[in-house]
């Protein structure tokens, strides 16, 4: 084996891919050839005999302490989980109670401000006995609200008005000349068999539930 | 354990007469035997720390990686395949952690300075009889991180190509390329000569 063979086989040699015979031949050549020893000796020595590493003092103990600590934490964690679960259950109860209280408060407040005292519901007759006395403490803000509510006109039921013959103004077709300009006029060439503008009864067909006698017939 | 010149790859593998085997210790540790944990740490810490230090180059980081390696291994002891070597399993975990650190910190020049510093500091200590500890650290620190990791795992800890490929998350052929280029760079650094791609010397000898 010559220097060229050694150069060629050195990579497989370092990769441990050579057979024992080739390894022995390379070693023998390196022993005898000064040039090849200078070329390869340092690298072979470096890779074959790495300098030993000194483990820092106390590292093993620190690792074991860390492991003990982690195990203790793991052993402790189920208790903590159980405690937090109990707290969660308690808080859930508090949440439910709070939600119920909020609902009750909401409905009671709505009932108090619904104006139930202004007029009795239909069908309720005056009793002859002594009404129970209810004392309600109200704030000035509530009093002013109550005064405003009392000053408002009574609600209007359009069905009652129509039934009594009063047709709301908005249902009566306005005179043609006073109507606002429409921007969607039909083309002049298109004839309509029944112009809606001249037939008030057609507009009043919007209220089919009304008897004909109320439509001016 | 300290100060011995035993090669890192030849530590106790559980041979008869040298105390309980790794497998027996692992079984005992699974049952909660604290002494088994301590024995496993004392037996394999040197190998684990060596891998971490040689790959990372910084003693502080190597200590962190060593600790994380054992904690992770002990936590996943149930996942350990009993048919395999416990030491290789540890080294794989340590290599993974070290490579992850390298990836996270990126390529930093200060690595070289740190590695040289630490070796000069430790060079006058227990390893006086072994020639050139600061020298190899000096050379190794100057090559690419992945190339150094491949060289450390293959040459110093005798890890097979396939496992190195798993650790480095590269194909096996890439591991071969890392080894080739890393060794080429080492030769250039050690001899001061440039080496061509086919391994021939371009400078006059």
């Amino acid at each position: 084996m010559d220097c060229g063979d050694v150069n060629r086989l050195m990579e497989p040699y370092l990769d441990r891919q050579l057979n024992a015979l080739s390894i022995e031949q390379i070693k023998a050549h390196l022993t005898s050839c000064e040039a090849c020893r200078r070329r390869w000796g340092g690298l072979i020595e470096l890779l074959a005999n790495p300098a030993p590493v000194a483990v820092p003092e106390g590292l093993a103990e620190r690792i074991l302490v860390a492991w003990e600590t982690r195990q203790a934490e793991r052993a402790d964690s189920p208790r903590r989980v159980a405690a937090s679960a109990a707290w969660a259950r308690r808080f859930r109860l508090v949440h439910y109670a709070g939600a119920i209280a909020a609902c009750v408060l909401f409905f009671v407040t709505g009932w108090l401000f619904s104006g139930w005292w202004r007029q009795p519901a239909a069908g309720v007759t005056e009793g002859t006995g002594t009404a129970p006395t209810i004392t309600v403490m109200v704030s000035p803000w509530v009093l002013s609200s109550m005064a405003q509510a009392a000053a408002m006109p009574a609600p209007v039921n359009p069905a009652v008005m129509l039934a009594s013959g009063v047709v709301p103004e908005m249902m009566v077709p306005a005179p043609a000349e006073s109507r606002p300009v429409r921007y969607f006029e039909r083309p002049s060439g298109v004839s309509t068999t029944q112009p809606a503008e001249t037939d008030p009864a057609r507009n009043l067909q919007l209220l089919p539930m009304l008897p004909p006698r109320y439509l001016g017939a | 354990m300290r100060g011995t010149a035993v090669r890192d790859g030849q530590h106790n593998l559980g041979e008869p007469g040298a105390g309980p085997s790794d497998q027996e210790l692992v079984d005992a540790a699974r049952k909660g035997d604290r002494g088994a944990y301590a024995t496993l740490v004392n037996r394999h810490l040197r190998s684990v720390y060596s891998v971490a230090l040689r790959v990372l180059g910084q003693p502080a980081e190597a200590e962190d990686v060593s600790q994380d390696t054992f904690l992770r291994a002990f936590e996943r002891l149930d996942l350990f395949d009993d048919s395999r070597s416990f030491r290789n399993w540890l080294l794989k975990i340590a290599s993974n952690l070290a490579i992850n650190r390298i990836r996270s910190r990126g390529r930093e020049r200060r690595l070289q300075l740190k590695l040289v510093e630490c070796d000069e500091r430790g060079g006058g200590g227990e390893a006086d009889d072994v020639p050139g500890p600061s020298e190899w650290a000096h050379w190794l620190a100057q090559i690419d991180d992945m190339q150094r990791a491949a060289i450390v795992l293959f040459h110093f800890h005798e890890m097979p190509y396939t496992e190195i490929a798993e650790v480095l998350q590269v194909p096996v052929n890439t591991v071969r390329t890392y080894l080739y280029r890393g060794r080429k760079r080492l030769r250039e650094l050690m001899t001061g000569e440039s080496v061509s791609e086919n391994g021939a010397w371009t400078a006059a000898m």
Side-chain angles (χ1 to χ4, degrees):
Chain A
M1 184 173 282
D2 58 11
C3 297
D5 293 333
V6 170
N7 288 341
R8 186 169 48 82
L9 293 175
M10 189 49 71
E11 280 299 323
Y13 170 78
L14 293 173
D15 278 335
R16 304 188 206 114
Q17 291 174 345
L18 291 185
N19 57 29
L21 178 62
S22 300
I23 291 173
E24 286 307 316
Q25 287 176 337
I26 286 178
K27 284 182 176 174
H29 181 84
L30 288 174
T31 308
S32 60
C33 178
E34 175 65 24
C36 283
R37 204 164 47 246
R38 273 193 289 115
R39 189 179 300 167
W40 295 106
L43 182 64
I44 292 172
E45 181 68 18
L46 174 74
L47 298 179
N49 297 304
V53 171
V55 179
E57 202 72 53
L59 178 57
E61 289 74 19
R62 287 200 294 278
I63 290 172
L64 289 170
V65 167
W67 173 239
E68 296 279 337
T69 307
R70 187 164 292 191
Q71 275 187 314
E73 286 174 358
R74 192 186 298 166
D76 191 35
S77 59
R79 285 199 295 273
R80 257 184 285 164
V81 168
S84 62
W87 269 107
R89 276 195 299 276
R90 261 174 248 155
F91 272 112
R92 211 174 301 141
L93 287 178
V94 170
H95 289 166
Y96 288 148
I100 292 170
C103 287
V104 169
L105 188 65
F106 176 78
F107 285 112
V108 166
T109 309
W111 178 69
L112 281 176
F113 289 96
S114 62
W116 57 273
W117 58 84
R118 285 182 50 221
Q119 55 189 12
V124 175
T125 55
E126 291 289 333
T128 54
T130 306
T133 304
I134 301 175
T135 304
V136 180
M137 296 180 67
V138 290
S139 68
W141 179 81
V142 173
L143 282 176
S144 72
S145 299
M146 289 166 62
Q148 287 179 8
M152 283 174 63
V156 178
N157 189 339
V160 174
M161 290 177 63
L162 288 170
S164 61
V166 180
V167 180
E169 186 183 349
M170 57 186 293
M171 292 185 179
V172 179
E177 59 274 11
S178 66
R179 279 189 301 117
V181 176
R182 291 180 62 181
Y183 294 96
F184 302 101
E185 294 286 352
R186 289 190 182 85
S188 58
V190 178
S191 65
T192 55
T193 54
Q194 189 179 19
E197 295 87 347
T198 58
D199 186 7
R202 189 173 183 276
N203 280 0
L204 289 177
Q205 286 175 1
L206 291 171
L207 297 169
M209 77 292 291
L210 290 177
R213 60 193 171 90
Y214 293 117
L215 297 179
Chain B
M1 191 173 75
R2 302 184 64 218
T4 58
V6 176
R7 187 163 177 198
D8 302 314
Q10 298 170 348
H11 262 270
N12 188 320
L13 298 179
E15 60 268 18
S21 68
D22 281 351
Q23 188 52 54
E24 291 167 352
L25 290 171
V26 167
D27 289 339
R30 281 173 177 155
K31 294 170 185 166
D33 183 358
R34 294 184 175 185
Y37 288 119
T39 309
L40 285 171
V41 169
N42 287 319
R43 183 176 288 181
H44 296 295
L45 177 58
R46 185 182 184 82
S47 298
V48 169
Y49 181 75
S50 299
V51 168
L53 181 64
R54 285 167 177 162
V55 171
L56 287 166
Q58 297 190 21
E61 280 192 317
E63 286 189 35
D64 289 346
V65 164
S66 302
Q67 178 167 319
D68 291 347
T69 298
F70 281 103
L71 294 185
R72 184 169 293 195
F74 289 161
E75 280 181 344
R76 302 178 182 183
L77 216 49
D78 291 333
L79 301 178
F80 170 62
D81 180 1
D82 293 338
S83 64
R84 301 183 64 182
S85 159
F86 183 71
R87 172 184 166 276
N88 283 353
W89 188 58
L90 279 179
L91 293 189
K92 205 170 165 184
I93 296 174
S95 311
N96 271 318
L97 293 173
I99 294 294
N100 287 343
R101 287 214 173 208
I102 283 181
R103 290 210 169 103
S104 66
R105 77 185 178 193
R107 182 76 177 145
E108 295 178 12
R109 300 296 298 172
R110 64 186 170 84
L111 162 69
Q112 302 179 1
L113 301 174
K114 288 276 186 184
L115 186 51
V116 173
E117 268 177 28
C118 84
D119 223 271
E120 282 172 353
R121 208 169 49 219
E126 306 149 22
D128 271 347
D129 52 336
V130 181
S134 63
E135 211 170 315
W136 71 257
H138 175 70
W139 303 132
L140 277 182
Q142 296 187 55
I143 64 175
D144 180 78
D145 286 330
M146 301 298 270
Q147 295 171 9
R148 182 174 62 255
I151 285 179
V152 165
L153 295 176
F154 182 77
H155 286 287
F156 299 169
H157 298 278
E158 296 170 356
M159 198 178 274
Y161 285 133
T162 50
E163 289 191 17
I164 298 174
E166 284 178 25
V167 168
L168 300 182
Q169 297 175 10
V170 295
V172 172
N173 280 337
T174 308
V175 174
R176 295 180 200 274
T177 306
Y178 283 159
L179 288 171
Y180 169 73
R181 290 186 178 162
R183 289 192 296 242
K184 181 160 114 22
R185 179 72 182 137
L186 280 176
R187 277 164 60 197
E188 289 176 349
L189 291 167
M190 294 172 79
T191 60
E193 311 266 359
S194 64
V195 182
S196 67
E197 275 299 314
N198 59 9
W201 296 93
T202 53
M205 297 294 295

